[in-house]
Amino acid sequence: MGDAAATGLPDAEALAQAGLALDIDGAVATVTLDRPERRNAMTFATWRTLARIGGNLPAGVRVVVLRGAGPSFSAGIDLSMFADPGAFPAGDDLDGFIAGLQEGYTWLRRPEIVSIAAVHGHTIGAGFQLALACDIRVAADDVKFCMKEPALGLVPDLTGTKPLVEAVGLNRALELCLTARTVLADEAARLGLVEISTTRDGLDAAVAGLVERLLAVNAEAAVATKRLLLEAPGNSLAEQCAAERREQAGRLKAMAAAFQG
Ligand code: CAA
């Protein structure tokens, strides 16, 4: 990974304190939620460190894989933080505080990368939202999704509500959140929460195969296409047609320049 201080990436100590492990191998960065003894429960440090990883990824990284060590992807927020009255700022400061935590999630949508959540076992609350922040979810047959926040008197606030509604529709999102029920693998696939289903033993191989297929596609075209697809839900047809022309013009000019030079 090189000298972490020079790259801006968190060093081994910072990663360990955040319950994370990071491996960067060429075009692929793998982030492991790495507190299996706490079922990969996440702290504020986890989310701030995720944001730091996202902000300092080497330019050549095209795919980011998020995975969990041990029996679960993640049991969500570390509940011990609710026992510390000083853990949360008071009043008006909360908006900026939560915005900082959300940065641990938002970078996963950047057009320059494709993010993959490799999920298995319990994928709860903040862990479910982390999977939702990724572009593609590969799920093992033991996955158990649960949006538990409302059952704890809270709301899902780590960027998960928009992709959840986009994936399953408003009514199903309401039903899932307001009952905080658990969704198992078959139903998750049916609802569109999962793009690729596999066995628990087959999870790593399924992710590796997906990564290989993603890297086989032209890098610049991949970035432009993700940018285009991200725009689509908010655009009218006319706006999206214009966006397609803009991106294609950029691609054609780049291809012509490469051909000539
Ligand atoms: N925070 C802190 N510690 C946790 C934890 C969490 N979220 N989840 C599990 N742990 C700890 C357990 O306390 C236990 O510790 P000990 O060994 O010291 O007893 C250890 O991890 C192993 O847990 P279990 O023995 O319970 O493991 P399991 O495999 O039988 O069950 C589980 C796993 C279903 C995830 C269960 O641990 C559980 O229900 N955890 C709580 C889940 C939860 O409510 N998360 C919060 C969701 S809300 C959210 O994330 C967003 C938000 O902003 C509020």
Side-chain angles (χ1 to χ4, degrees), residues 149-162:
E149 287 84 343
L152 300 175
L154 298 162
V155 301
D157 65 344
L158 292 168
T159 80
T161 55
K162 186 172 168 64

Side-chain angles (χ1 to χ4, degrees), residues 14-91:
L15 286 165
Q17 275 176 5
L20 295 170
L22 174 65
D23 176 63
I24 297 179
D25 182 9
V28 184
T30 302
V31 181
T32 302
L33 307 175
D34 199 17
R35 285 178 86 202
E37 72 289 355
R38 284 276 170 278
R39 301 299 181 262
N40 302 328
M42 297 183 280
T43 63
F44 301 142
T46 311
W47 299 323
R48 293 194 182 108
T49 305
L50 281 173
R52 192 167 159 201
I53 291 170
N56 293 285
L57 275 183
V61 170
R62 294 182 54 192
V63 177
V64 175
V65 178
L66 271 148
R67 59 189 293 280
S72 308
F73 178 71
S74 172
I77 193 169
D78 188 322
L79 293 169
S80 70
M81 291 194 299
F82 291 119
D84 173 5
F88 297 85

Side-chain angles (χ1 to χ4, degrees), residues 2-254:
D3 180 0
T7 62
L9 288 165
D11 62 17
E13 193 185 339
L15 286 165
Q17 275 176 5
L20 295 170
L22 174 65
D23 176 63
I24 297 179
D25 182 9
V28 184
T30 302
V31 181
T32 302
L33 307 175
D34 199 17
R35 285 178 86 202
E37 72 289 355
R38 284 276 170 278
R39 301 299 181 262
N40 302 328
M42 297 183 280
T43 63
F44 301 142
T46 311
W47 299 323
R48 293 194 182 108
T49 305
L50 281 173
R52 192 167 159 201
I53 291 170
N56 293 285
L57 275 183
V61 170
R62 294 182 54 192
V63 177
V64 175
V65 178
L66 271 148
R67 59 189 293 280
S72 308
F73 178 71
S74 172
I77 193 169
D78 188 322
L79 293 169
S80 70
M81 291 194 299
F82 291 119
D84 173 5
F88 297 85
D92 294 344
D93 294 344
L94 272 170
D95 188 76
F97 177 77
I98 297 172
L101 305 181
Q102 288 171 331
E103 285 173 19
Y105 287 59
T106 46
W107 65 275
L108 292 158
R109 298 177 172 88
R110 285 205 323 242
E112 292 74 23
I113 55 166
V114 180
S115 51
I116 300 170
V119 290
H120 72 282
H122 289 286
T123 301
I124 302 176
F128 188 6
Q129 295 191 69
L130 190 57
L132 286 165
C134 290
D135 297 314
I136 302 174
R137 282 162 291 281
V138 183
D141 51 11
D142 67 346
V143 76
K144 298 176 190 71
F145 290 110
C146 173
M147 200 66 90
K148 198 164 176 190
E149 287 84 343
L152 300 175
L154 298 162
V155 301
D157 65 344
L158 292 168
T159 80
T161 55
K162 186 172 168 64
L164 180 66
V165 168
E166 286 169 354
V168 303
L170 172 62
N171 306 73
R172 180 61 69 189
L174 266 169
E175 186 262 329
L176 294 181
C177 292
L178 301 192
T179 62
R181 74 174 172 89
T182 297
V183 178
L184 302 181
D186 284 350
E187 184 187 9
R190 263 200 324 278
L191 290 179
L193 285 169
V194 164
E195 280 67 45
I196 297 175
S197 300
T198 184
T199 59
R200 177 69 188 93
D201 287 347
L203 185 59
D204 288 346
V207 170
L210 173 62
V211 169
E212 194 181 328
R213 293 192 294 280
L214 289 167
L215 293 181
V217 165
N218 177 282
E220 289 80 18
V223 175
T225 303
K226 180 171 171 185
R227 196 162 46 217
L228 191 55
L229 294 174
L230 283 170
E231 274 187 59
N235 275 349
S236 66
L237 180 60
E239 288 165 339
Q240 190 64 12
C241 287
E244 289 177 0
R245 296 194 296 275
R246 183 194 68 225
E247 292 292 0
Q248 196 70 304
R251 289 283 64 236
L252 290 168
K253 279 182 204 159

